[in-house]
Amino acid sequence: MASVARSFTRVASRSAPRTASVRATTTSNARRAFARQTFQGSSRRGYASGSGGASSSTPYILGALGLAGAGGAYFYLNNGSFITAKEGSSGETRGAFTPNKDDYQKVYNAIAQRLEEKDDYDDGSYGPVIVRLAWHCSGTYDKETGTGGSNGATMRFAPEGDHGANAGLKAARDFLEPVKQQFPWITYSDLWTLAGVCAIQEMQGPVVPWRPGRTDRDVSMCTPDGRLPDGSKEQSHLRAIFGRMGFDDREIVALSGAHALGRCHTDRSGFDGPWTFSPTVVSNDYFRLLLSEKWNWRKWNGPKQYQDVASKSLMMLPTDMALIQDKEFKKHVERYAKDDQAFFNEFRDVLVKLFELGVPFQSKAEDRMTLKPTTSD
């Protein structure tokens, strides 16, 4: 059923492309109705995974990265090039290899293919947990110290991989490992953020510009625990966490729209359930449901969370409800709930900012590339 739902939404999106003009309301409503019926009529697919260190690591020595791959060894240079040694069956040696857009499109396509083929996770897609991996590896940035962020992929190591907020993300890292083996020249740091872009686009979200240039770092660069949002808190916590990264109120609300995707798990965060009826489709439903549904505290033995009164199948965290309890946050919730194109545009922009926090790029902003979604074929 999950695969059918994704196919339906893809057809709908192709027949009614998102533009700044008026979109087909009937198509949007049909998509939401179908997703609601499909979600309520299907059983939950669970995945239990403990947190922990990565199964492999890559040395970071004086700005150079050596990668032993099938058919050759790659050595990453600070200018974004790779020296390829003894590549091919005859053992010939090639010169510098500088990946271009076509090379990154191949990586994107490999991720997209795995997303399509492996539908044995949660609601039928690894997409949401891939987005969470990209989000969490980037959201550790501290603008005051310049530490953290996507540059380094330090979640590969136990100190950071074991942080409570990263529980369950081993599933996402393991999902991407075959892609890393297929393209050994790409750093984990670039791979994880590129995968986040791929997942957003493949789940009917906006096209997100992206650029490479991140390097992998060693365990000494792991960030301290406590830099990611705690769902049990309120608006002051949100402003403190996101403000440390350099985000304002509008950007905080836009990033929160990622809660249209995925679900919480009792064996990870302790919370339970999805935010929307279509947890594998990027939409503005999160904002619409925040405003349109009636929410009460859930009566259960778990941490405090909200439950929708009508279906009793959706949840909201205290940090979600803070977005409509705070008047400055709420005005953006209302705007996104009314205009999904406004949400898509601002969600795209804030994702670009998030994924680039703290990265010492040698390229310029205008060098960002847009990679083609496979759903547009």
Side-chain angles (χ1 to χ4, degrees):
M1 289 297 291
S3 298
V4 174
R6 291 202 305 277
S7 298
F8 180 89
T9 56
R10 287 172 180 169
V11 172
S13 66
R14 291 171 188 163
S15 62
R18 293 182 172 94
T19 64
S21 59
V22 177
R23 295 175 58 201
T25 303
T26 54
T27 301
S28 179
N29 290 343
R31 179 189 70 181
R32 291 181 176 121
F34 185 86
R36 177 184 293 255
Q37 294 167 5
T38 301
F39 174 78
Q40 291 178 323
S42 65
S43 60
R44 171 181 172 185
R45 297 184 185 183
Y47 185 101
S49 172
S51 58
S55 58
S56 63
S57 62
T58 310
Y60 175 76
I61 304 175
L62 301 178
L65 182 65
L67 296 169
Y74 296 82
F75 298 91
Y76 180 76
L77 305 179
N78 280 333
N79 65 2
S81 298
F82 296 81
I83 297 175
T84 308
K86 292 186 178 180
E87 181 176 299
S89 58
S90 61
E92 71 274 17
T93 299
R94 297 183 182 179
F97 164 56
T98 302
N100 57 29
K101 182 179 178 179
D102 289 340
D103 294 307
Y104 288 108
Q105 184 69 60
K106 291 175 183 177
V107 179
Y108 178 104
N109 292 346
I111 299 167
Q113 182 177 356
R114 285 183 62 76
L115 286 172
E116 182 67 24
E117 293 175 349
K118 293 184 67 63
D119 62 355
D120 57 343
Y121 187 88
D122 275 357
D123 301 290
S125 175
Y126 275 86
V129 75
I130 295 298
V131 172
R132 181 169 165 245
L133 173 65
W135 203 118
H136 282 216
C137 78
S138 304
T140 57
Y141 181 66
D142 185 332
K143 66 180 182 181
E144 298 300 325
T145 63
T147 58
S150 63
N151 193 52
T154 48
M155 200 192 303
R156 290 170 295 141
F157 305 108
E160 192 170 326
D162 287 346
H163 291 169
N166 293 330
L169 287 180
K170 185 177 184 297
R173 299 193 300 270
D174 288 349
F175 175 90
L176 292 172
E177 191 59 31
V179 180
K180 172 64 173 170
Q181 298 304 314
Q182 184 179 354
F183 303 95
W185 49 264
I186 191 170
T187 63
Y188 282 101
S189 305
D190 276 342
L191 176 62
W192 291 356
T193 52
L194 176 56
V197 168
C198 177
I200 289 290
Q201 295 185 175
E202 296 300 308
M203 291 188 290
Q204 309 305 311
V207 173
V208 181
W210 176 88
R211 56 177 163 160
R214 299 161 188 82
T215 57
D216 292 338
R217 310 177 102 175
D218 64 22
V219 67
S220 69
M221 301 303 293
C222 285
T223 56
D225 201 357
R227 288 193 176 185
L228 294 168
D230 180 344
S232 68
K233 305 296 185 180
E234 298 179 348
Q235 49 265 49
S236 60
H237 171 76
L238 288 175
R239 288 193 172 100
I241 291 291
F242 286 91
R244 189 205 68 238
M245 292 183 259
F247 293 114
D248 59 25
D249 283 358
R250 178 185 62 83
E251 293 171 317
I252 292 172
V253 178
L255 275 176
S256 297
H259 280 178
L261 302 169
R263 61 169 65 237
C264 288
H265 303 76
T266 56
D267 61 342
R268 299 176 190 177
S269 64
F271 301 107
D272 177 58
W275 289 268
T276 72
F277 291 106
S278 52
T280 62
V281 179
V282 180
S283 71
N284 68 338
D285 284 358
Y286 167 75
F287 302 109
R288 294 190 320 102
L289 290 165
L290 263 175
L291 295 171
S292 65
E293 296 297 316
K294 184 177 180 181
W295 302 92
N296 286 337
W297 289 111
R298 178 178 175 180
K299 297 179 180 178
W300 73 315
N301 293 326
K304 294 182 69 174
Q305 68 177 66
Y306 291 86
Q307 182 181 66
D308 74 301
V309 173
S311 74
K312 292 182 171 53
S313 61
L314 301 178
M315 62 120 243
M316 290 287 171
L317 303 174
T319 46
D320 298 314
M321 299 305 292
L323 299 184
I324 58 175
Q325 293 165 350
D326 183 285
K327 65 179 183 179
E328 294 302 317
F329 284 151
K330 187 175 181 180
K331 65 184 182 183
H332 298 296
V333 173
E334 292 172 335
R335 188 163 56 87
Y336 294 147
K338 293 176 183 177
D339 187 347
D340 62 348
Q341 191 60 50
F343 166 58
F344 268 45
N345 291 341
E346 294 177 30
F347 186 49
R348 173 200 63 212
D349 293 345
V350 78
L351 283 176
V352 171
K353 179 177 177 178
L354 173 68
F355 292 165
E356 295 191 352
L357 291 175
V359 181
F361 290 110
Q362 295 194 0
S363 62
K364 299 178 181 179
E366 53 265 32
D367 295 326
R368 293 178 184 129
M369 60 186 75
T370 55
L371 299 169
K372 184 180 179 181
T374 62
T375 53
S376 65
D377 292 336

